[in-house]
């Protein structure tokens, strides 16, 4: 498969190189996603410049980007929830299934050091680390949701006072989170 890797020593997207890698084989509880679209987030740029949390600068080549959408191309022998052809989106934190944030679950995010990202023809993910795409979304649209979309949703809808009709919402900036938050707030009647 072809993949885009960022190599150590580069601090811009100019350091990306297309490489040929073996297509991953699913283990019993894995799914292989044929990636159809990816999106780039601010955190991806932080990874490129070596300033993403504790990850620091890259020490080995890394397939980057946390957000991608595609279809299941293969499933592991124990996978029951998914079948070949299902349209899915990868989860930003592949080991965090539910509950409150915990450093051990959020330390591993797609596209950061040690966790291959979505900027490849195929991505191998645990079966619990993908969610079904809404039928009305294109791959391009769905690929924008795992990081910025979920962040915006949580900020607006999961706090002590979820956004409701008549509320006012202040958005700072014009990045992906702000633009998605604007759409969500408007849809909620704010």
């Amino acid at each position: 498969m072809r993949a885009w890797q960022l190599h150590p020593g580069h601090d811009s997207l100019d350091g990306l190189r297309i490489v040929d890698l073996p297509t991953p084989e699913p283990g019993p509880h894995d799914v292989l996603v044929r990636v159809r679209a990816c999106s780039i987030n601010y955190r991806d740029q932080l990874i490129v410049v070596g300033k993403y949390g504790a990850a620091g600068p890259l020490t080995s080549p890394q397939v980057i980007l946390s957000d991608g959408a595609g279809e299941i191309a293969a499933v592991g022998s124990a996978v029951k929830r998914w079948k070949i052809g299902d349209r899915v989106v990868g989860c930003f934190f592949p080991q965090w299934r539910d509950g409150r944030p915990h450093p051990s679950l959020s330390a591993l995010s797609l596209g950061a050091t040690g966790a291959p990202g979505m900027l490849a023809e195929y991505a191998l993910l645990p079966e619990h680390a993908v969610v079904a795409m809404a039928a009305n979304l294109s791959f391009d649209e769905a690929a924008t949701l795992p990081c910025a979309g979920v962040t915006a949703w949580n900020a607006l809808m999961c706090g002590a006072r979820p956004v409701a009709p008549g509320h006012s919402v202040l958005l700072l900036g014009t990045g992906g989170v702000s633009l998605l938050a604007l759409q969500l707030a408007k849809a909620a009647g704010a």
Side-chain angles (χ1 to χ4, degrees):
M1 76 168 178
R2 290 178 304 161
W4 286 93
Q5 284 185 330
L6 184 67
H7 289 260
H10 292 279
D11 62 358
S12 76
L13 292 175
D14 293 336
L16 282 175
R17 299 290 178 258
I18 195 161
V19 297
D20 288 316
L21 298 173
T23 301
E25 295 286 330
H29 296 282
D30 296 329
V31 295
L32 183 66
V33 177
R34 181 163 191 254
V35 180
R36 297 294 192 166
C38 293
S39 68
I40 190 166
N41 294 287
Y42 179 69
R43 63 82 75 175
D44 297 307
Q45 182 62 26
L46 292 176
I47 290 169
V48 169
V49 297
K51 295 183 178 176
Y52 183 65
L58 293 178
T59 57
S60 61
Q62 176 71 34
V63 176
I64 62 168
L65 299 187
S66 61
D67 291 6
E71 64 226 353
I72 303 286
V75 297
S77 60
V79 173
K80 304 288 185 235
R81 181 176 175 196
W82 305 107
K83 65 183 182 318
I84 293 173
D86 285 345
R87 295 166 20 112
V88 296
V89 178
C91 294
F92 184 84
F93 293 118
Q95 298 306 323
W96 185 4
R97 295 182 190 207
D98 62 11
R100 298 193 53 79
H102 189 274
S104 67
L105 300 174
S106 59
L108 180 68
S109 59
L110 296 180
T113 301
M118 300 294 285
L119 195 55
E121 288 182 297
Y122 294 93
L124 184 66
L125 296 167
E127 66 179 310
H128 63 264
V130 294
V131 295
M133 277 178 52
N136 65 319
L137 294 179
S138 70
F139 289 116
D140 293 340
E141 293 166 329
T144 67
L145 299 177
C147 183
V150 173
T151 300
W153 177 265
N154 279 319
L156 294 174
M157 305 300 186
C158 297
R161 189 171 171 222
V163 172
H167 286 178
S168 294
V169 175
L170 173 64
L171 303 172
L172 303 175
T174 57
V177 174
S178 289
L179 291 175
L180 283 160
L182 174 63
Q183 293 173 65
L184 292 169
K186 184 174 170 73

